Amino acid sequence: MPAGYFRLLQRSFGDSDPRRRALLAGLEAADTPSSVATAAEVDVESQLRQLDNLDALLGEGWVFFRPEVWSHASHGALGVAALTAPDLEGAMQIVAAYGRVRAPVIDFAASRSRRGLTLAMRYVAELSPARQRNLAQSSLSGVVSLVAVIIGAAPPGLLVAFRDPEPTYAEDVRRALLCAVAWNGTADSVFIPAALLLTPSPFADQSLHARAREELETALARLERPGDLRPRLERLLVSHSAGRLTASAAARALGVSRRTLVRRLAEAGTGYRALLDAELRRRAAGLLDAGELSHAEIAERLGYAEPTSFSRACRRWFGRA
């Protein structure tokens, strides 16, 4: 996913060396500040781990400590396309169509009625309740920010609903969002009354809107094109240097469901087990050639529960134990 949120959160909440280190805990070396400083993208799992670290460092509700973080300016081409749409309804349709480009593990569905428009979040990968909470709070904060910029004020009649029970910091949420908030909802969503939907955007720009949509279409095609998934998965397996990555964890890191991962790899003529096996073979060959670890240590490093399982794999790979 785009590295912009990762950099923004490091800068906004990592205001000291200890905090910066805490926000990078458990991340691969490739996601250190120096490497992400100019990178266009960051691994989805690394972005989610950064959110976990913010929970551990600051506690639940940290999303609302700095509501300005989720302003329209942080959403790249998505924010540009939404703001340059003709009206508020067009802006929300842009979020529904392309929101996944900014966070591939979620999707938005827009439903229109006479009363208004509901933009509901859907999680397209297996996520813990804490990760769902953080994504819901940050994503819906971003949507409310877009609405407020187009309306030009705190949006009247807006309702943000969260699936979670009401937390102790509920009042902070209301102050940050400047609109009605409900808890124990059926979905993480935002409702916009019909009276607001035809509000013209003061930033409407047909040419700029078209260019931003082209960029979003290109990014969306990369997420959905089967041929792109295999090299991305191979890079992910190489970067996961300790143990082995399960198919479910790999799917989360790539921003797809496990079922989608299996299907797309099949369309590309391979499977997860074959690619994982090839990476373990490559890694085993390097460790055996180095001669610095015992047989049991290599087996543990590669994620084998028993050294005998590693021996069987070596016979299959190299013709010897």
Side-chain angles (χ1 to χ4, degrees):
M1 63 184 290
Y5 294 134
F6 191 97
R7 286 193 290 265
L8 186 60
L9 291 171
Q10 282 295 130
R11 187 177 68 215
S12 299
F13 296 101
D15 51 5
S16 66
D17 284 339
R19 282 196 169 193
R20 281 189 286 273
R21 287 194 296 271
L23 295 187
L24 294 171
L27 274 67
E28 297 290 342
D31 293 322
T32 57
S34 58
S35 61
V36 178
T38 58
E41 296 177 336
V42 65
D43 181 291
V44 173
E45 180 64 26
S46 296
Q47 179 66 82
L48 294 174
R49 181 65 62 86
Q50 185 194 43
L51 301 184
D52 295 343
N53 291 341
L54 279 160
D55 258 6
L57 181 66
L58 303 175
E60 292 185 21
W62 60 265
V63 167
F64 304 103
F65 293 0
R66 301 281 299 277
E68 67 276 12
V69 168
W70 317 109
S71 73
H72 63 282
S74 67
H75 306 311
L78 180 68
V80 173
L83 290 180
T84 55
D87 52 33
L88 180 57
E89 183 167 7
M92 294 301 99
Q93 294 294 350
I94 287 292
V95 174
Y98 301 108
R100 190 161 170 249
V101 165
R102 299 296 294 179
V105 292
I106 62 173
D107 209 351
F108 285 97
S111 57
R112 182 72 155 87
S113 69
R114 293 176 60 186
R115 294 180 55 247
L117 182 145
T118 298
L119 201 61
M121 291 179 60
R122 183 173 66 92
Y123 302 95
V124 298
E126 299 173 17
L127 296 169
S128 68
R131 287 181 170 184
Q132 289 187 17
R133 182 193 72 243
N134 285 330
L135 287 169
Q137 292 179 356
S138 56
S139 299
L140 294 181
S141 293
V143 172
V144 171
S145 173
L146 286 170
V147 174
V149 171
I150 292 173
I151 297 296
L158 211 69
L159 173 65
V160 173
F162 294 106
R163 295 186 305 169
D164 289 336
E166 183 169 340
T168 56
Y169 52 88
E171 192 55 40
D172 295 333
V173 179
R174 295 185 184 93
R175 278 197 299 266
L177 296 181
L178 298 175
C179 67
V181 179
W183 307 92
N184 294 303
T186 57
D188 295 312
S189 62
V190 57
F191 171 77
I192 304 169
L196 295 180
L197 292 174
L198 296 182
T199 303
S201 172
F203 308 99
D205 183 321
Q206 187 174 0
S207 176
L208 186 55
H209 181 72
R211 290 200 298 273
R213 285 192 69 158
E214 285 179 11
E215 184 176 334
L216 292 171
E217 285 286 351
T218 300
L220 190 62
R222 285 189 60 212
L223 285 176
E224 297 179 344
R225 197 161 51 236
D228 279 350
L229 197 60
R230 176 172 179 164
R232 288 169 58 204
L233 175 59
E234 289 173 333
R235 289 194 297 271
L236 176 65
L237 291 172
V238 169
S239 69
H240 193 81
S241 56
R244 66 179 68 194
L245 202 61
T246 65
S248 295
R252 285 196 299 272
L254 294 170
V256 298
S257 68
R258 191 178 189 280
R259 180 178 298 179
T260 299
L261 175 66
V262 171
R263 175 172 53 82
R264 291 186 184 176
L265 289 178
E267 291 170 352
T270 187
Y272 183 79
R273 184 172 295 181
L275 295 179
L276 176 62
D277 190 68
E279 171 55 25
L280 291 175
R281 183 188 189 282
R282 183 197 67 80
R283 209 180 300 169
L287 293 171
L288 289 167
D289 287 345
E292 296 175 356
L293 298 176
S294 69
H295 178 91
E297 288 171 331
I298 295 176
E300 183 179 2
R301 179 76 63 88
L302 297 180
Y304 287 94
E306 299 290 341
T308 53
S309 300
F310 177 52
S311 295
R312 287 194 295 271
C314 285
R315 290 192 188 96
R316 178 165 50 82
W317 291 330
F318 313 119
R320 59 185 176 84

